[in-house]
Amino acid sequence: MTYPQLLTPEEKLADAKERLNIPRIVAICGSTRFMDLMTEVDLIETANGHIVVKPGCNMKQPHSLWNNPADAEVLKARLDDLHRAKIRLADEILVVGDYIGDSTRSEISYARSLGKPVRFTHPDVDPGEPDDADNEEA
């Protein structure tokens, strides 16, 4: 006798989104120096019928929540965890801007490790798959 295969959490989420007729979810990633572009891309993606999640805090701008360096460090770690959760929730990520820093590179790698499609507003900055660099050296 065979038993039905249990769904993974990812499969359960995809099934639930389909059953609930949830529109495509796009996670916007990129340096917060591009917050204005993120807002514009959010508008376009929303007008195209997508649910958009993106960074909600720009720690490059002064704010009382992160004036204290110790508070800022704790908040940064919490925001990084929150953004990874947004990536897990999303159907795809959209990277904005013409610059990819370490944090964004890490988010791209994470999304790809989950099998998420990755789009770019500036495709020439795509760092490629992690193995791409290894293959170029061979």
Side-chain angles (χ1 to χ4, degrees):
M1 174 181 217
T2 59
Y3 293 96
Q5 192 74 322
L6 297 177
L7 296 177
T8 65
E10 294 81 7
E11 291 168 331
K12 287 179 182 178
L13 177 60
D15 182 59
K17 289 191 313 192
E18 184 177 330
R19 287 174 186 250
L20 293 169
N21 199 26
I22 301 292
R24 188 160 187 83
I25 300 172
V26 178
I28 295 177
C29 297
S31 170
T32 55
R33 70 175 75 173
F34 300 117
M35 286 298 272
D36 289 343
L37 180 55
M38 287 182 188
T39 300
E40 179 66 19
V41 168
D42 182 351
L43 183 146
I44 293 166
E45 291 294 319
T46 300
N48 284 327
H50 301 145
I51 294 172
V52 178
V53 293
K54 65 180 183 170
C57 298
N58 182 356
M59 294 183 72
K60 290 180 174 52
Q61 298 293 321
H63 195 281
S64 60
L65 287 175
W66 50 83
N67 280 347
N68 178 309
D71 293 342
E73 188 175 328
V74 170
L75 179 59
K76 171 78 169 100
R78 194 167 57 237
L79 293 174
D80 288 346
D81 289 344
L82 180 62
H83 198 66
R84 285 188 178 258
K86 291 175 182 180
I87 292 169
R88 287 192 304 277
L89 177 67
D91 298 301
E92 68 176 315
I93 68 167
L94 176 53
V95 180
V96 302
D98 59 2
Y99 163 81
I100 303 286
D102 291 339
S103 292
T104 304
R105 188 177 316 276
S106 174
E107 292 167 357
I108 293 166
S109 178
Y110 182 63
R112 287 182 167 153
S113 77
L114 298 173
K116 306 284 182 174
V118 180
R119 289 189 289 139
F120 294 82
T121 59
H122 296 75
D124 53 311
V125 299
D126 182 351
E129 300 289 337
D131 292 334
D132 286 353
D134 296 337
N135 292 336
E136 289 174 8
E137 295 175 3

